[in-house]
Amino acid sequence: MRIFPALAGLAAALTLSGAAMAHHSFAMFDRTKEVELKNAVVARWEWTNPHIWLDVVVPAGKSPAGKYSIEGGSTGLLRRQGWEKSSLKPGDKITVYFAPLKSGEPGGSLLAVMLPGGKMLGARLDQQRSAD
């Protein structure tokens, strides 16, 4: 009789871990390409788990203009790369680098950001490849 609760717990853990792994898929992003957005203005910087979110707007007249929603890693992962909750704030003008969505929608997976003073947070695609 004691084995049933243990098996039920194991089954629940395996089921939930599968859902968690599916949630963290990067299949929707084209990790072979990098988009660079110069003159991007931070609209929203959400420092949350399991993923941070960065929304930026590139003003009309700049290329490519529009609003982009960019997903990043966990706060723990980003903190180890030098990011902080205070790294960005709405209104900051940045250059952002990301792997685009395969769907072509305006967004992607965060790679790096160049801050106004020239400091780089994260790693661009070519830097990631040379580290491998």
Side-chain angles (χ1 to χ4, degrees), residues 14-75:
L14 289 173
T15 301
L16 293 174
S17 67
M21 291 300 284
H23 170 78
H24 291 280
S25 171
F26 290 96
M28 68 190 97
F29 305 114
D30 185 345
R31 308 284 292 173
T32 66
K33 296 180 183 171
E34 177 181 280
V35 173
E36 175 186 52
L37 296 178
K38 292 182 178 181
N39 304 304
V41 178
V42 175
R44 177 179 68 125
W45 170 241
E46 193 172 300
W47 185 260
T48 58
N49 277 314
H51 303 280
I52 63 90
W53 286 95
L54 172 62
D55 290 344
V56 297
V57 176
V58 178
K62 304 293 182 180
S63 182
K67 183 175 181 182
Y68 296 80
S69 187
I70 302 165
E71 179 180 3
S74 70
T75 59

Side-chain angles (χ1 to χ4, degrees), residues 92-131:
D92 285 351
K93 292 182 182 169
I94 60 173
T95 300
V96 63
Y97 305 90
F98 61 93
L101 287 163
K102 289 179 180 176
S103 68
E105 293 177 62
S109 177
L110 181 66
L111 298 171
V113 166
M114 184 174 295
L115 300 173
K119 180 179 179 181
M120 183 75 82
L121 293 173
R124 296 188 56 192
L125 200 55
D126 58 341
Q127 295 167 323
Q128 291 177 10
R129 287 185 184 137
S130 64

